[in-house]
């Protein structure tokens, strides 16, 4: 065997192979939103909108990318009162993705020309997207497990299920972020899973939180003591093994949870180590309680 020729051949193959090195940059962005006359959004919602806007501005400045953001209005009637809320959705066609904050966000409230304004300034890391992400299919189901129950709007104590399918095998985690108590609840892997990982098979459709589908599943109901509550669902998938965040154990009525700041730090570190990881924050849970008081 000619060792020299073998080594040269291997080097040529390595050089010819496509490179998917992803550029990571420190970024900084500012975004200001001026409230319209008829808008009735809460401070928490405005903070979220401005932070997302500032992150988009930071990515656009560094990567010359114009990210498109869609604002979907949620109009509901609670105890005879019409309430409007927005849910921000970012198109998954950006040239870069936000990995996490490098320092705390600065959020300010002010007035300009007699109009209320909100401004967010962010610092963080963003990573260039050099190849298409895995085409995941997932949907939120309210009160049932078939596609006819697909909805992100819940009444107090409604059951929730999530349908999921991936074209490749890998590992999945689902967290629900509640800005009112600043907690990230781990819904998947299930509490009974001691490995801290939830493996999924390519091409198989999963109905999560349904014990008829999986006897080890943890069922969940959407519960709120407020007239209206918005929670962000964070779906994390990778073809590479990863272990969930180190969280605090919940009781039989509550999922394991961790402070949102600690969750974001863990997610940022995990994503930096895994270029194949997909993080989808596009889904929101809208929960209403007609009996709750403001």
């Amino acid at each position: 065997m000619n060792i020299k020729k073998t080594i040269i051949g291997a080097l040529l193959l390595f050089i010819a192979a496509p490179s998917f090195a992803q550029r990571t940059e420190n970024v900084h962005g500012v975004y200001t939103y001026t409230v319209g006359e008829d808008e009735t959004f809460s401070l928490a919602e405005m903070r979220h909108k401005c932070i997302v806007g500032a992150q988009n501005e930071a990515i656009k400045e560094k990567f010359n990318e114009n990210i498109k953001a869609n604002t979907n209005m949620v109009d509901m009637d609670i105890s005879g009162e019409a309430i409007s809320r927005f849910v921000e959705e970012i198109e998954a066609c950006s040239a870069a993705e936000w990995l996490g904050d490098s320092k705390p966000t600065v959020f300010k409230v002010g007035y300009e020309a007699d109009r209320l304004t909100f401004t967010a300034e962010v610092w963080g890391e963003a990573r260039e997207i050099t190849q298409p992400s895995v085409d995941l299919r997932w949907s939120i189901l309210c009160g049932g497990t078939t596609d006819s129950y697909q909805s992100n709007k819940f009444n107090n104590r409604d059951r929730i299920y999530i349908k999921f399918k991936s074209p490749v095998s890998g590992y999945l985690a689902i967290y629900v972020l509640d800005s009112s108590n600043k907690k990230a609840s781990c819904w998947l892997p299930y509490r009974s899973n001691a490995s801290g990982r939830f493996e999924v098979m390519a091409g198989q459709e999963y109905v999560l939180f349904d014990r008829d589908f999986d006897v080890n599943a943890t069922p969940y109901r959407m519960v709120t003591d407020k007239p209206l509550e918005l929670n962000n669902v964070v779906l994390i998938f990778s073809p590479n093994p990863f272990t969930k965040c180190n969280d605090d154990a919940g009781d039989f009525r509550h999922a394991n949870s961790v402070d949102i700041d600690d969750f974001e730090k863990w997610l940022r570190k995990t994503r930096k180590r895994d270029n194949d990881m997909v993080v989808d924050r596009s889904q929101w849970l809208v929960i209403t309680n007609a009996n709750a008081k403001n």
Side-chain angles (χ1 to χ4, degrees):
M1 181 178 184
N2 192 322
I3 298 177
K4 183 176 181 180
K5 288 183 178 180
T6 301
I7 293 175
I8 293 174
L11 287 172
L12 289 174
L13 285 174
F14 177 78
I15 294 171
S19 173
F20 295 111
Q22 293 173 289
R23 177 168 59 104
T24 300
E25 296 279 359
N26 293 318
V27 294
H28 166 251
V30 180
Y31 178 85
T32 298
Y33 184 81
T34 302
V35 180
E37 293 182 0
D38 299 326
E39 293 183 272
T40 57
F41 302 130
S42 70
L43 184 63
E45 290 169 304
M46 280 299 174
R47 177 181 173 87
H48 166 75
K49 180 177 180 65
C50 291
I51 289 175
V52 170
Q55 291 172 353
N56 294 343
E57 290 297 321
I59 290 174
K60 182 173 67 174
E61 180 179 344
K62 204 71 171 184
F63 293 89
N64 298 317
E65 176 66 13
N66 187 17
I67 302 172
K68 297 179 181 179
N70 298 322
T71 300
N72 292 334
M73 299 300 300
V74 178
D75 296 318
M76 314 194 88
D77 186 272
I78 302 174
S79 301
E81 180 183 357
I83 297 178
S84 297
R85 292 293 184 266
F86 66 82
V87 174
E88 194 90 27
E89 294 182 353
I90 307 303
E91 289 188 7
C93 58
S94 170
E97 58 183 344
W98 186 269
L99 291 180
D101 299 342
S102 58
K103 61 186 293 187
T105 297
V106 173
F107 182 67
K108 297 179 180 179
V109 181
Y111 282 92
E112 185 175 328
D114 295 327
R115 302 288 289 273
L116 185 62
T117 63
F118 296 90
T119 300
E121 185 173 9
V122 299
W123 297 261
E125 287 184 295
R127 181 172 62 196
E128 182 182 24
I129 298 174
T130 58
Q131 56 184 327
S133 62
V134 179
D135 182 21
L136 304 176
R137 296 182 183 178
W138 65 292
S139 58
I140 294 173
L141 308 174
C142 173
T145 58
T146 61
D147 289 339
S148 61
Y149 290 93
Q150 185 171 329
S151 176
N152 70 330
K153 298 179 182 178
F154 295 81
N155 292 317
N156 191 44
R157 299 194 60 77
D158 279 347
R159 291 276 188 194
I160 180 173
Y161 307 94
I162 289 181
K163 187 174 286 188
F164 176 86
K165 186 178 180 181
S166 169
V168 297
S169 297
Y171 298 84
L172 179 66
I174 294 177
Y175 285 81
V176 176
L177 275 54
D178 184 349
S179 59
S180 63
N181 63 11
K182 301 188 182 300
K183 291 289 185 180
S185 297
C186 178
W187 284 20
L188 197 75
Y190 296 127
R191 284 180 297 190
S192 59
N193 186 334
S195 70
R197 296 174 177 175
F198 187 85
E199 188 172 6
V200 295
M201 298 294 107
Q204 180 174 339
E205 188 173 72
Y206 292 81
V207 180
L208 304 172
F209 320 130
D210 180 17
R211 283 183 174 163
D212 290 336
F213 182 87
D214 183 350
V215 295
N216 296 313
T218 303
Y220 289 105
R221 292 182 185 272
M222 301 311 303
V223 178
T224 182
D225 57 1
K226 306 177 185 66
L228 180 65
E229 183 174 328
L230 294 178
N231 291 337
N232 188 203
V233 181
V234 181
L235 183 140
I236 307 167
F237 173 84
S238 177
N240 310 309
F242 71 93
T243 305
K244 70 169 188 171
C245 180
N246 190 2
D247 50 32
D248 299 321
D251 57 28
F252 73 100
R253 301 175 102 184
H254 300 88
N256 293 1
S257 64
V258 63
D259 290 343
I260 287 180
D261 288 345
D262 292 334
F263 165 76
E264 296 291 358
K265 290 176 183 177
W266 165 80
L267 184 57
R268 178 186 173 192
K269 291 179 181 178
T270 304
R271 295 181 75 181
K272 289 179 71 173
R273 292 194 294 262
D274 187 349
N275 291 341
D276 299 319
M277 180 169 281
V278 178
V279 177
D280 189 344
R281 298 175 180 260
S282 64
Q283 295 279 14
W284 287 78
L285 304 177
V286 183
I287 315 110
T288 59
N289 185 344
N291 298 319
K293 296 181 180 179
N294 289 315

